[in-house]
Amino acid sequence: MKWLNPSRLNIMVMCLISLALASCLQNKSTAKDTTITAEQIEKIDISVRAYCDAMVFFGTIHVTSADKVVYEYHCGPQNIQYDIPNSVKSKHRIGSNTKAFAAAILMRMLKGKDLRTETVGDYLPWYPKNQCADVTLHNLLSMSSGIPDYSNEVEVYENWGWRPYLYDKELDLNGPEGFSNRFCTCEDQGGQPSFAQGSQYNYSNCNYYLVGNIIEQLAAGTQGDIDRSFWFSNILKEQILDPLDMSESGSFSAIGIYSNMTTGYIYKDNQYLPTANGRPPEVGGPAPYEDILVNPYSNPLVLYSAGDMYSTVGDMQKWDQALYTNQILDEAQKLAAFAPYQNTGSSSECEYYGYGWFVTYIDPNQYGKVPDCPDDPSDTNLRKYEKFLQYSGSFPYSWVTSFNRLIERDQNIKVFSNYVKTGTESDCIAHEIRSIVFYNDKHRTEACQTVLDEA
């Protein structure tokens, strides 16, 4: 046998090590567990069918382990009128899941900047020179700005968000800038945040509306009636959707035509229906849908970078898997995006808000045991618990998309609905599937059992 000389052997070993390192850097990190057993899949199926059979859920459930689909189920109509069932191709409005995309784009555009020192006023010259202009981008992203939430303003869903800006032309604002100028400047609270920025969590869609404003002005280099190519929807497509081949995703427009778009539905006695801006139909669909109404109209443009996206479970799987690589965010950016910042004050779980994500910790050994969850997450060793990311994005009044990244296991649970009876059904299903994955039992809550009992 012919032996290699030591120097050539060393070179080959170093080459192999280099190739292995390069492969590790290019591929996603290794998770601790990617196995969902046949027993667990059977339990998931029993849980899911309970909601589908009770007709309190229309939509798609999609569970993956690594890049493999381990469970998929569709139920209810994509469209009642045309008798089209939901399928893996069904497009859903994903609501506030849009925020994770907006956060990623801003982080990419400001790579190398310290988001804890960059402020709203640094990037939006039209913003009033008040104390809210000093809010940092970190506090915008982590829902700790003290800037009020526009969602409580009924008129926003009817009259605002249109391009070009339809109101005071002298302000030289585009549609979303005009919206923020009206609802997100703190002028109604004396020009100052409602609390010292960074001191507490307060969910506000204005935070991510302003993120979209900053993204557009960074891209366009100016404010006002900017070219369409600099609109958030097109920057989203250019920076994330196209690179990931998410061809079934985008920003929704009321005048657009989308193949396989789900029609939204709402239960006739839903508690929020009386506050709807649109006028729902007086009657529901044909049997067995007599008590189910078509979604009342609301202007989707006002959701913007805070919640205007649509997608499919397949496309969202591409997004999930890309976040294990450096294709969209590098390692430092992912650490920042997925970090716990503001404690949300949840009484049922240890939950923080990151950059566009709810960051949740569980005790993997005991269901229901809430981990130590201080306001300052640096005060305790959260690493002894298991972390996962979640968001339940809703679109008035009929879509709820629960998106769950079990990042330590490389597993994903998607529960996308186009029907709201109580509004909690998607989250109930997602919670039960997570419990089966974590604890091998659905652990149905009393509230979720009530949803089924009252169906």
Side-chain angles (χ1 to χ4, degrees):
M1 182 175 183
K2 189 173 182 179
W3 297 93
L4 291 171
N5 65 54
S7 61
R8 290 184 66 189
L9 180 61
N10 288 338
I11 292 170
M12 289 186 69
V13 169
M14 291 302 295
C15 287
L16 288 171
I17 292 173
S18 298
L19 286 171
L21 286 172
S23 176
C24 289
L25 290 172
Q26 290 174 1
N27 295 325
K28 62 189 178 185
S29 56
T30 303
K32 66 181 181 183
D33 181 13
T34 59
T35 301
I36 296 178
T37 67
E39 178 190 9
Q40 288 173 314
I41 291 171
E42 183 178 359
K43 290 180 178 180
I44 290 170
D45 189 60
I46 292 170
S47 175
V48 165
R49 288 176 186 268
Y51 290 89
C52 288
D53 292 347
M55 282 184 53
V56 296
F57 177 84
F58 299 169
T60 292
I61 296 94
H62 196 255
V63 182
T64 59
S65 189
D67 58 354
K68 306 297 184 187
V69 179
V70 298
Y71 181 80
E72 182 179 300
Y73 195 76
H74 318 280
C75 64
Q78 174 181 298
N79 182 284
I80 290 174
Q81 179 183 2
Y82 297 104
D83 195 26
I84 301 173
N86 274 308
S87 72
V88 71
K89 296 181 179 180
S90 295
K91 294 184 176 76
H92 293 260
R93 303 187 199 181
I94 65 172
S96 284
N97 280 291
T98 304
K99 291 180 173 68
F101 291 84
I105 293 171
L106 186 66
M107 294 176 75
R108 285 163 59 93
M109 296 180 83
L110 294 179
K111 185 175 182 177
K113 298 281 189 179
D114 184 354
L115 300 183
R116 292 180 180 270
T117 59
E118 304 292 302
T119 70
V120 171
D122 291 335
Y123 292 95
L124 300 178
W126 54 264
Y127 200 90
K129 303 300 187 264
N130 59 30
Q131 292 182 37
C132 284
D134 298 327
V135 164
T136 69
L137 304 189
H138 166 77
N139 291 124
L140 280 187
L141 292 168
S142 60
M143 295 292 185
S144 56
S145 70
I147 295 175
D149 186 11
Y150 70 72
S151 299
N152 297 324
E153 301 281 350
V154 174
E155 66 175 295
V156 302
Y157 295 104
E158 296 175 337
N159 303 321
W160 295 85
W162 302 102
R163 292 182 190 263
Y165 183 53
L166 301 177
Y167 300 93
D168 189 349
K169 302 290 186 183
E170 294 180 0
L171 291 176
D172 187 28
L173 302 174
N174 66 40
E177 289 171 349
F179 181 98
S180 295
N181 185 63
R182 168 65 181 83
F183 297 106
C184 305
T185 58
C186 304
E187 292 295 272
D188 290 341
Q189 51 189 42
Q192 59 186 4
S194 55
F195 52 84
Q197 62 166 314
S199 64
Q200 65 185 70
Y201 164 85
N202 186 60
Y203 195 94
S204 172
N205 282 300
C206 272
N207 290 327
Y208 277 79
Y209 223 96
L210 291 167
V211 166
N213 295 157
I214 293 168
I215 287 169
E216 289 194 352
Q217 289 198 207
L218 280 169
T222 186
Q223 66 183 50
D225 190 14
I226 59 177
D227 185 81
R228 181 184 291 265
S229 62
F230 300 121
W231 292 5
F232 174 78
S233 58
N234 289 302
I235 297 170
L236 168 70
K237 185 175 186 297
E238 176 186 290
Q239 293 219 14
I240 297 181
L241 303 185
D242 284 351
L244 300 186
D245 191 29
M246 293 177 65
S247 59
E248 302 302 311
S249 305
S251 290
F252 184 80
S253 169
I255 60 175
I257 299 175
Y258 307 94
S259 62
N260 293 308
M261 179 63 71
T262 51
T263 299
Y265 298 101
I266 186 167
Y267 182 59
K268 69 177 181 62
D269 294 327
N270 182 277
Q271 61 177 324
Y272 298 109
L273 192 58
T275 66
N277 304 102
R279 184 176 300 169
E282 294 181 0
V283 296
Y289 307 117
E290 299 95 333
D291 295 333
I292 296 174
L293 307 179
V294 174
N295 179 60
Y297 174 80
S298 60
N299 175 14
L301 297 180
V302 302
L303 299 176
Y304 186 50
S305 51
D308 193 31
M309 284 183 65
Y310 66 86
S311 191
T312 64
V313 291
D315 266 13
M316 290 296 281
Q317 176 66 7
K318 295 175 183 178
W319 166 240
D320 170 68
Q321 290 294 285
L323 291 174
Y324 288 104
T325 73
N326 293 337
Q327 188 172 1
I328 300 299
L329 298 174
D330 64 27
E331 293 302 319
Q333 290 169 328
K334 284 185 287 186
L335 283 173
F338 307 154
Y341 297 117
Q342 297 298 325
N343 191 311
T344 67
S346 172
S347 60
S348 60
E349 55 191 356
C350 179
E351 179 185 78
Y352 298 85
Y353 201 87
Y355 286 174
W357 298 95
F358 285 98
V359 182
T360 308
Y361 292 86
I362 64 159
D363 186 328
N365 300 310
Q366 181 178 346
Y367 174 79
K369 181 180 179 182
V370 179
D372 300 329
C373 200
D375 287 338
D376 182 354
S378 65
D379 285 348
T380 190
N381 183 12
L382 288 171
R383 286 177 296 179
K384 64 183 178 180
Y385 303 116
E386 182 165 349
K387 179 171 82 171
F388 69 94
L389 309 177
Q390 61 172 316
Y391 224 117
S392 182
S394 61
F395 184 105
Y397 292 84
S398 303
W399 289 265
V400 180
T401 51
S402 180
F403 186 67
N404 306 259
R405 302 190 66 231
L406 313 189
I407 55 176
E408 295 185 23
R409 300 169 183 248
D410 192 359
Q411 295 167 345
N412 187 284
I413 300 163
K414 309 172 201 69
V415 184
F416 287 11
S417 170
N418 61 311
Y419 169 49
V420 165
K421 184 169 186 185
T422 67
T424 61
E425 294 82 8
S426 292
D427 292 337
C428 285
I429 295 171
H431 175 271
E432 291 180 21
I433 295 175
R434 289 198 308 265
S435 293
I436 292 168
V437 172
F438 289 140
Y439 308 107
N440 202 32
D441 192 304
K442 67 179 182 298
H443 290 293
R444 180 170 294 152
T445 67
E446 182 177 340
C448 292
Q449 185 61 53
T450 300
V451 169
L452 292 172
D453 291 343
E454 296 180 354

